[in-house]
Amino acid sequence: MKDRSKDLLSVEMTDKQFIVFEGGEGAGKTSAIAALAATLKAAGHDVLLTREPGGTPEGLALRALLLAADAPPWDKHAELLLITAARIQHVKRIIEPALRAGKTVLCDRFIASTLAYQGAGRGIPTELIRDLHRRLVGNIQPDLTILLDIDPIIGLARSARRLHSARLDEGRFEALDLAFHAQVRSAFLAIAAATPSVVIDASRPLPDVHTAVTTQVLAWLTA
Ligand code: TMP
């Protein structure tokens, strides 16, 4: 985790602890992250599996406010502030303590999602998003990002099936048009090219995706 603030320094922390999964709708992050968690636990890692928005009770409440299909029409800046509020709570209360305790933290979405959805998708300048992050969240960045890349036409179809079968009322972003999701995808790819990341083709069958994720992360951990 680069740029971690000084007060977090601890002998137990390394720069191979904070792994973030990113990707558009229906990329299969949830099952891939669970598969990686199982592998790392079996290899003796103390793993914390968490997600955004969510990861704390207050984050879950904000998640419901943000993602319900009939959620209010949030102003884009209000949306950014709610996501940032959830992230501040998540980082301060859950992620930083876990990293200080030497855990491997696997997080489903983080700042790249905000840059992709609220930045590229909604049109908020990325400097504002990065500045809010630096000033309020504390400049924490993933040590490694796994980007599960998928064509939004395939991903949105998968996501619609999942939301329907799990009866999840979380479809507000899925309901946005294909152009929005295409911009999100391009932004994720650009961020991955500029940060420590692995890009995995998530259109392949799930077992292949899981194998690719596990192989890449184990290689990175031992490099
Ligand atoms: P997911 O948990 O299925 O990935 O869904 C989370 C949704 O929240 C997804 O549509 C993307 C959206 N989101 C943002 O728009 N910005 C963010 O910073 C985060 C973390 C999520």
Side-chain angles (χ1 to χ4, degrees):
M1 193 176 55
K2 314 300 173 292
D3 301 319
R4 209 175 271 158
S5 53
K6 252 200 305 222
D7 59 329
L8 290 176
L9 285 177
S10 149
V11 284
E12 295 180 81
M13 284 173 45
T14 74
D15 61 358
K16 293 198 173 177
Q17 282 180 254
F18 187 28
I19 303 173
V20 170
F21 278 64
E22 297 282 9
E25 313 301 331
K29 290 181 288 89
T30 309
S31 68
I33 205 168
L36 178 63
T39 302
L40 292 182
K41 280 182 192 164
H45 288 257
D46 189 358
V47 175
L48 173 80
L49 186 51
T50 188
R51 69 171 173 173
E52 293 201 350
T56 60
E58 58 275 29
L60 276 179
L62 287 167
R63 181 182 177 93
L65 279 175
L66 282 161
L67 300 190
D70 63 351
W74 293 113
D75 173 88
K76 63 184 177 186
H77 293 114
E79 183 178 283
L80 170 64
L81 291 176
L82 290 179
I83 286 167
T84 305
R87 181 162 303 134
I88 294 168
Q89 292 292 107
H90 190 210
V91 167
K92 304 294 171 197
R93 294 188 51 204
I94 307 292
I95 296 178
E96 285 180 350
L99 293 171
R100 278 198 293 267
K103 293 181 198 259
T104 300
V105 175
L106 304 184
C107 188
D108 189 339
R109 298 196 184 279
F110 199 62
I111 176 76
S113 279
T114 316
L115 292 165
Y117 283 83
Q118 280 65 50
R122 298 286 198 210
I124 298 178
T126 52
E127 305 83 71
L128 173 59
I129 299 172
R130 290 187 194 281
D131 200 40
L132 269 181
H133 187 79
R134 247 190 321 269
R135 287 166 184 263
L136 305 181
V137 183
N139 218 14
I140 177 171
Q141 298 291 339
D143 295 323
L144 181 70
T145 297
I146 309 292
L147 173 59
L148 297 187
D149 176 55
I150 194 160
D151 182 330
I153 294 178
I154 304 172
L156 286 167
R158 271 193 194 167
S159 181
R161 283 196 295 276
R162 187 179 69 93
L163 292 177
H164 181 74
S165 65
R167 294 171 189 245
L168 277 175
D169 180 16
E170 295 193 343
R172 197 167 69 94
F173 285 94
E174 278 84 348
L176 297 171
D177 62 20
L178 201 54
F180 177 94
H181 291 284
Q183 272 170 328
V184 166
R185 182 190 193 190
S186 302
F188 273 134
L189 287 167
I191 295 164
T195 55
S197 303
V198 170
V199 180
I200 287 171
D201 173 3
S203 65
R204 290 180 292 166
L206 280 184
D208 295 356
V209 173
H210 296 178
T211 303
V213 167
T214 306
T215 308
Q216 296 265 12
V217 172
L218 290 178
W220 172 76
L221 281 170
T222 52

